[in-house]
Amino acid sequence: MTTAAGLSRGRFAPAYLPTGCEGLDRLLGGGLPRGALVEMSGRASSGRFSVALSALAATTETGEAAALVDPGDHFDPQGAAAAGADLSRVLWLRPRGLKMAFAAAETVLATGFALVILDLGLAHVSRRRFDDAVWLRLARRARFHDAALFVLAPYRVTGVAARIVLAADAARAGWNRACLDHWPQSLSLLDGLSARLVVEKNLEKTRDMHMKEKTSLLNLSLLEALQAGKEERKICLEKEEKEREGAGSALSAFGR
Amino acid sequence: MVPLFPLAARLRSEPALRDEAVVLCEGNGTAAHVVAATRKARKAGIRPGFTLPQARALLPDLLTRARDAESERAAQEALLDVAGTVSPRVEDAGDGVVYLDAEGLERLFPDERDLGRALIAAAKRESLPARCGLASSKLAARVAATLPDSPVVVPAGGEAAFLAPLPLVKLDPEAEIVETLARWGLASVGDFAKLPAADVASRLGARGHALHEIARGRDPRPLVPRRPPPGFTEGMELEWPLVTLPPFLALAEGALERLERRLEAEAVGCARLDVSLTLEPEGCDTRTIELPAPTRDVKTLLTLVRLGLEGRPPGAAVTGFSLTAHPDAPRKGQLTLFGPAEISPDRLATALAKLFALLGPGRAGAPQAVDGHRPERFALVPFAPPPPPAARRAPRTGRGLLSVRVLRPAVPLEVLLEGERPASLRALASAEGGGRPALDVAGPVRVASGPWRLEEGWWQETPAFRAYWDVELSGGGLYRIFRDEPGGEWFADGVYD
């Protein structure tokens, strides 16, 4: 029997959930596919957490609910709110350990959340600590409930269960070089981060030409609010530095 | 009414015994005697009043159960709930007898027999083999319910004629009056009703007069409606003490299924579940399970009971239990054609209850931004998403913001300085990392930006005076580290990722 909710979802719900990152959306043909497990792997500071939060913000902005399974307890509500996430539509789960995290992810996938993000954090995850079948089970749940499951891991863990596997590498921090020229290095400002996204596996049927692309550049800029605060601080420091220089010369003059 | 009510209540709690030869006993040791027997046992010749050895002599494989006050109370409540589904005025007469006021139900049930059939069917769903009688007086209705071919309808004004051919014992008279009437040679209700009222009153007193009025079809007792109880309770007393969890959960599941049926009949969900365990040799363990939203899902409730008992075992063998569900109206969801589909409130409530039970308190909810400056601050509030918009909104694209993974708690670091600037760092072992560094970070610093000072809560016991740095390591990795000003220790509290 088809329910009204099913009709609504099937007809009007888009097949992709945009991530809010243009390059990545183009690479994926529109965003994270519903009903599939998408894995993104990369080392620390490769931009994968930013991509996940961007997808979280984009999904909740449309009015859908999203869940974040965060065993590492890394989520920053203030940062997510500033990035545009509607926090009232976000279910944040802070399990203690992987086993709990998998159980929690299974539960939320079966509940009807449009997007479920499972972040395995930064630490090394031993594959002996869980059965590979867990990924197949999660992928099946995502497919059955038409949810997008986005798994973040330091390296590939989902095996054959993932429909799309992305890898983020060659990450480089961007520093405000103008500052570096005129200021001590300690007063340079962090501008953002760039990384190269590579599609390592894609079982999604090619919808258009963009799907043939295998790599894309991921450019992430620091939140304007943080940047503005640091700019203010930089101006203060500049003022203090000038005052100190002035005071120093005055003292020398007085001593002389 | 439910015939052989104590037995019916016991079989409701243990449905597996329904087709077995079972007797319900009262008394201990040699004084134990049969109160009621199932059809299979009755076929073997066992009758109420037999001693247990007599019954066993007839049927060696006979199963025996003691009367269970908890099961009987739950079955009586279930019977009252059944009556409450058709009428708001219901009287609890106890022992499997319930009276209800059928006034005004003509439009719902034009034929009174249909009302009776509906009640019998509803009671059957509650695993209670009920019989129904409809009459203008309580006694006539009760007597009608004892007759075969239930439901039996007594026409209004025809109570005296209905009762007339029945034996006097149907009126439940006192033994003394029965003896007197037998001496007078009266056998049927009709014979007694024909006697002059004044003479009966002068010879048998007030009690005899009241019985005479009843025999004439005039039952002066009014219906006394009961006040609905605040919760639904199911439970049972156990034949033997339980020391392990699995058998208890099997019994609790049955009780929860019965609770679910009763909650469903009232169109309500369970907002709070009280679990009361009777312990051996004496004592009681009572605990309350708060649910984030009303639910009727048996699996969820059972999981919560299991997790509660696993987390805090009762500490002694369990000899009985009762589960009380405090009802509340379930949340309603509104479907939309053009906007995003809303998560079913019932399913969400069930999932949240499971997650709370799985993760523990403070581990699941909606995040909330908190005023302040410490980057690790956060708050969790109950997850209750607003209804989705009428039309799907387009998300903003192309923002690509760099986010920070917050490290909770901050990871202690060993930092080598060049002047004030960090030149090299290494994560130190901590309790959170199990005696190893909680973060795999070490190496020379390529770029360090800072310090960005933070001061907060100087009036508090644990103020924050920190000097923050953004550092990029030569080997890769972009971290937010700080120096705790009073102590001078270094910590990493975020990773730009």
Side-chain angles (χ1 to χ4, degrees), chain A residues 99-156:
Chain A
K99 198 177 167 189
M100 266 191 197
F102 291 136
E106 271 198 80
T107 304
V108 287
L109 278 170
T111 307
F113 285 85
L115 172 67
V116 176
I117 297 169
L118 173 56
D119 177 26
L120 298 186
L122 297 166
H124 176 79
V125 181
S126 169
R127 296 188 72 163
R128 277 180 296 179
R129 287 172 61 191
F130 57 84
D131 185 3
D132 280 348
V134 75
W135 298 114
L136 293 169
R137 204 162 60 236
L138 288 172
R140 199 162 49 235
R141 284 256 168 153
R143 188 167 65 246
F144 186 75
H145 294 282
D146 201 28
L149 173 60
F150 193 26
V151 177
L152 312 176
Y155 48 88
R156 274 189 73 172

Side-chain angles (χ1 to χ4, degrees), chain B residues 298-427:
Chain B
V298 174
K299 277 175 74 179
T300 304
L301 294 171
L302 189 67
T303 306
L304 296 176
V305 171
R306 179 174 60 79
L307 292 170
L309 290 172
E310 281 175 350
R312 186 165 62 87
V318 176
T319 56
F321 71 93
S322 70
L323 306 172
T324 304
H326 295 269
D328 198 357
R331 293 177 188 165
K332 301 279 189 297
Q334 178 65 53
L335 294 176
T336 161
L337 280 175
F338 305 104
E342 186 179 9
I343 299 174
S344 155
D346 207 26
R347 207 193 298 172
L348 181 62
T350 303
L352 289 177
K354 275 184 191 170
L355 290 168
F356 285 136
L358 177 73
L359 307 180
R363 293 263 155 192
Q368 201 175 40
V370 181
D371 284 343
H373 298 285
R374 296 181 211 221
E376 69 272 17
R377 69 192 185 278
F378 73 92
L380 268 182
V381 294
F383 182 68
R392 183 178 295 277
R393 293 189 292 251
R396 282 177 285 180
T397 55
R399 301 192 71 193
L401 292 172
L402 178 60
S403 301
V404 183
R405 275 180 189 275
V406 180
L407 301 174
R408 296 188 185 95
V411 178
L413 298 175
E414 181 185 71
V415 178
L416 298 179
L417 300 175
E418 277 179 8
E420 196 187 6
R421 178 179 165 273
S424 169
L425 55 89
R426 183 174 68 89

